[in-house]
Amino acid sequence: MSRHPRQALRKLLHIAARPMKSDRGRGGIVVHAYRGYGTAHEVYLMGRVFHQPSLGLPLAEGTLARDVADVVRRGVRWGVGEAAVTLRLNGSTLTVTTDRDGYYDARMRLDTPLPLDHSWHHADLDVHVDGAHTVSERAEIYVPPPTVDLAVISDIDDTVMYTGVANKLKMAYRLFLEKADRRTAFPGVAAFYQALFDGTDGQRRRPMLYVSRGPWSIYEILEAFFQRNRIPVGPILFLREWGLTLQRPWPRKASDHKVMVIERMLALYDTLPFVLIGDSGQEDPETYARLVHDHPGRIRAIYIRDVDHSAARKADIARLAEEVDAHDCTLLLADSSLGMAEHAFRHGLISADGLAAVRHSPD
């Protein structure tokens, strides 16, 4: 049975309004810090600086009217270019400048290595606009433990969830309004990804990095999706609305963006092998095969969810599987999370308990 449409719409509205809550209705400069990632010696942080209008009305927090007003404010805010964002982490400091759309993308080398007794760390951010301090914020950063043995990079749309990431209305509808038997996540995804995160002994805490061709503006909705489906969290790296210029007025192609992100990860985690997960409906098999060729020995396995089902596409992917096999990598085209998990178990990537969890996941 589906949840009451009014309740679902109310929750969706509240999530859409969430980014506006930090200013308490006063407006002005705000900074949204997305989850970062890195090692004990260097980290990457991304986010965006906005100028947003004040509320203008004495509306109580938590009410429908307040959420509607905050969603309207969200629609008319704008990115702040040339803002100075200063990051402080474990005694190190770095200042970067936002681009014309308000985005910052910081690579921060650390003078003192981060402690390795926990994986999540917090950086302090201070934003200056026109030389004046405007706002402070904290950013979460994931650093894998020294015992980590593998990194995982996964596409989201048509790989973790059914089509819709690039279409905000469709995604919102599927996340909050569809009936329970029309699942937004593919069956077994949460259990399989948890098994990959845990590793063969349950203690690996592997980096789980997600790449999407959707825009940064759906970040909060995707967070809700991951929480609702109990999928291990990680930095979510997007494509759209990033660093656009008059010389390059359109976002990068999805495949180019994915290559850029994965190559950055390969360089950052230069001692780790990788597992790449994608789908057959886009260019993931070709993109991943190219990465195997360019970075021999670094890609342990490629899992492709079969969403195309055409004989011609299957033949194309079979040829790519033969190519990557020559580089000591396996490419598996699978129609289910269980098929991927069975292969991962046979090749020592997940535990027997992890496989059993996928096998017993609801259909």
Side-chain angles (χ1 to χ4, degrees), residues 43-229:
V43 298
Y44 286 89
L45 293 162
M46 294 170 287
R48 194 178 186 188
V49 177
F50 291 97
H51 189 287
Q52 49 199 42
S54 63
L55 187 63
L57 296 171
L59 301 175
E61 184 59 70
T63 63
L64 175 62
R66 175 61 182 272
D67 283 347
V68 170
D70 281 338
V71 169
V72 171
R73 290 200 301 142
R74 179 175 179 173
V76 297
R77 65 183 178 171
W78 64 92
V80 178
E82 300 300 319
V85 181
T86 299
L87 308 108
R88 296 180 175 84
L89 175 63
N90 203 39
S92 297
T93 301
L94 174 69
T95 298
V96 295
T97 302
T98 59
D99 67 14
R100 64 191 296 258
D101 297 308
Y103 289 106
Y104 64 87
D105 184 359
R107 177 185 182 183
M108 186 176 187
R109 297 186 182 276
L110 304 175
D111 299 324
T112 303
L114 291 169
L116 298 176
D117 57 345
H118 55 282
S119 294
W120 287 100
H121 303 264
H122 292 89
D124 294 312
L125 283 69
D126 290 292
V127 179
H128 289 75
V129 177
D130 295 329
H133 179 265
T134 56
V135 66
S136 299
E137 185 57 273
R138 301 193 85 192
E140 290 183 310
I141 303 165
Y142 181 77
V143 174
T147 55
V148 70
D149 60 344
L150 186 73
V152 179
I153 297 180
S154 174
D155 185 36
I156 296 177
D157 203 25
D158 275 337
T159 302
V160 173
M161 67 174 294
Y162 292 102
T163 302
V165 169
N167 183 320
K168 287 183 281 186
L169 290 178
K170 184 185 292 185
M171 181 180 180
Y173 174 81
R174 285 183 165 153
L175 180 56
F176 295 106
L177 301 180
E178 276 196 329
K179 295 180 180 180
D181 60 356
R182 297 286 299 278
R183 295 180 181 273
T184 55
F186 283 101
V189 160
F192 179 46
Y193 282 47
Q194 187 65 51
L196 285 171
F197 177 77
D198 292 338
T200 54
D201 64 359
Q203 303 297 321
R204 295 301 95 187
R205 290 186 289 165
R206 294 163 170 166
M208 303 293 293
L209 304 161
Y210 301 94
V211 184
S212 171
R213 57 184 177 271
W216 283 104
S217 56
I218 63 169
Y219 188 86
E220 293 80 18
I221 294 177
L222 270 178
E223 280 194 316
F225 163 79
F226 275 67
Q227 291 171 5
R228 179 183 180 187
N229 290 280

Side-chain angles (χ1 to χ4, degrees), residues 142-329:
Y142 181 77
V143 174
T147 55
V148 70
D149 60 344
L150 186 73
V152 179
I153 297 180
S154 174
D155 185 36
I156 296 177
D157 203 25
D158 275 337
T159 302
V160 173
M161 67 174 294
Y162 292 102
T163 302
V165 169
N167 183 320
K168 287 183 281 186
L169 290 178
K170 184 185 292 185
M171 181 180 180
Y173 174 81
R174 285 183 165 153
L175 180 56
F176 295 106
L177 301 180
E178 276 196 329
K179 295 180 180 180
D181 60 356
R182 297 286 299 278
R183 295 180 181 273
T184 55
F186 283 101
V189 160
F192 179 46
Y193 282 47
Q194 187 65 51
L196 285 171
F197 177 77
D198 292 338
T200 54
D201 64 359
Q203 303 297 321
R204 295 301 95 187
R205 290 186 289 165
R206 294 163 170 166
M208 303 293 293
L209 304 161
Y210 301 94
V211 184
S212 171
R213 57 184 177 271
W216 283 104
S217 56
I218 63 169
Y219 188 86
E220 293 80 18
I221 294 177
L222 270 178
E223 280 194 316
F225 163 79
F226 275 67
Q227 291 171 5
R228 179 183 180 187
N229 290 280
R230 298 181 180 180
I231 299 170
V233 299
I236 302 172
L237 309 169
F238 293 98
L239 168 63
R240 307 291 177 179
E241 302 172 1
W242 185 266
L244 307 186
T245 66
L246 291 176
Q247 291 75 29
R248 185 170 58 81
W250 302 107
R252 294 182 181 90
K253 290 173 56 180
S255 58
D256 293 341
H257 169 70
K258 194 166 295 183
V259 168
M260 179 187 70
V261 168
I262 295 174
E263 288 188 333
R264 176 185 280 188
M265 298 303 105
L266 288 167
L268 180 65
Y269 302 118
D270 58 358
T271 63
L272 295 180
F274 277 66
V275 167
L276 307 180
I277 309 175
D279 67 86
S280 64
Q282 298 292 326
E283 300 178 10
D284 287 346
E286 288 79 6
T287 299
Y288 293 168
R290 174 155 54 105
L291 285 161
V292 170
H293 181 270
D294 293 343
H295 302 274
R298 297 298 310 281
I299 312 301
R300 182 88 172 268
I302 297 171
Y303 295 119
I304 299 296
R305 186 177 295 279
D306 188 5
V307 298
D308 187 282
H309 303 302
S310 72
R313 187 59 174 148
K314 290 179 186 293
D316 289 340
I317 294 174
R319 285 191 291 271
L320 291 171
E322 291 179 1
E323 291 179 14
V324 303
D325 185 65
H327 293 277
D328 199 26
C329 175

